[in-house]
Each structure stands twice: as structure tokens, then as C-alpha cells.
Amino acid sequence: MKQWAYVVYEREGRTGLITVDLGDDMKRVAFLRSPVPGHLSEATIRTPKLRPASIREAEAARAAGLTRESQKSYLPPRRR
């Protein structure tokens, strides 16, 4: 999974957008704001807990406003 790919967090079933690849199987994922208490709008998640979003899931997230342009990560980019 690459940066700016739509993914689904399996535990919560929420669709998100990978904003930063932190290495060591860790990704920073942005989500839409949720009305459910405790759901964060951005989280660091291990790659095995994510799956690629289907075309429908990605389109729904994009239509709701979750796009590359709408995200601003304050974490520094990973050095290679």
C-alpha cells in the first residue's frame, strides 16, 4: 500500500487515506470526522490491520471530502 491510497481499517470498518509511510509496517491514516466518540480523525496503524479499499469505498470517501488535497500532515516525511 502506497501513500495516498484509500484503505479500510479492519477493526473499525472505516475508510481512510494513507498520508505518510512511517516505515516498519506503520502508516499514518487520515479519516473523515466521525460522530462516534473515540474515533480519531488521524491515526498511526500497522499495515496488517489495513486492507485496500474497494472502488465503491474509495469513491464514497472521496465524495465525502477525504482527498489528498484536504489533508495536511504535520509529521515530517520519511527519509530514504
Side-chain angles (χ1 to χ4, degrees):
M1 287 180 258
K2 297 182 179 182
Q3 187 175 11
W4 306 120
Y6 288 94
V7 294
V8 174
Y9 182 33
E10 301 245 345
R11 192 169 90 188
E12 297 177 359
R14 296 196 301 155
T15 303
L17 183 65
I18 296 174
T19 57
V20 179
D21 180 355
L22 300 171
D24 296 328
D25 275 346
M26 300 292 286
K27 308 281 189 214
R28 190 75 180 166
V29 180
F31 299 100
L32 291 172
R33 289 191 178 265
S34 173
V36 178
H39 281 188
L40 302 174
S41 60
E42 194 171 24
T44 301
I45 303 172
R46 291 200 172 278
T47 305
K49 295 182 180 181
L50 300 170
R51 69 168 172 82
S54 69
I55 294 171
R56 283 189 178 170
E57 290 167 329
E59 286 177 357
R62 201 174 296 117
L66 186 62
T67 62
R68 179 179 184 168
E69 292 78 21
S70 70
Q71 299 306 307
K72 181 183 251 185
S73 179
Y74 297 98
L75 294 174
R78 180 177 168 215
R79 293 185 182 171
R80 294 184 184 232

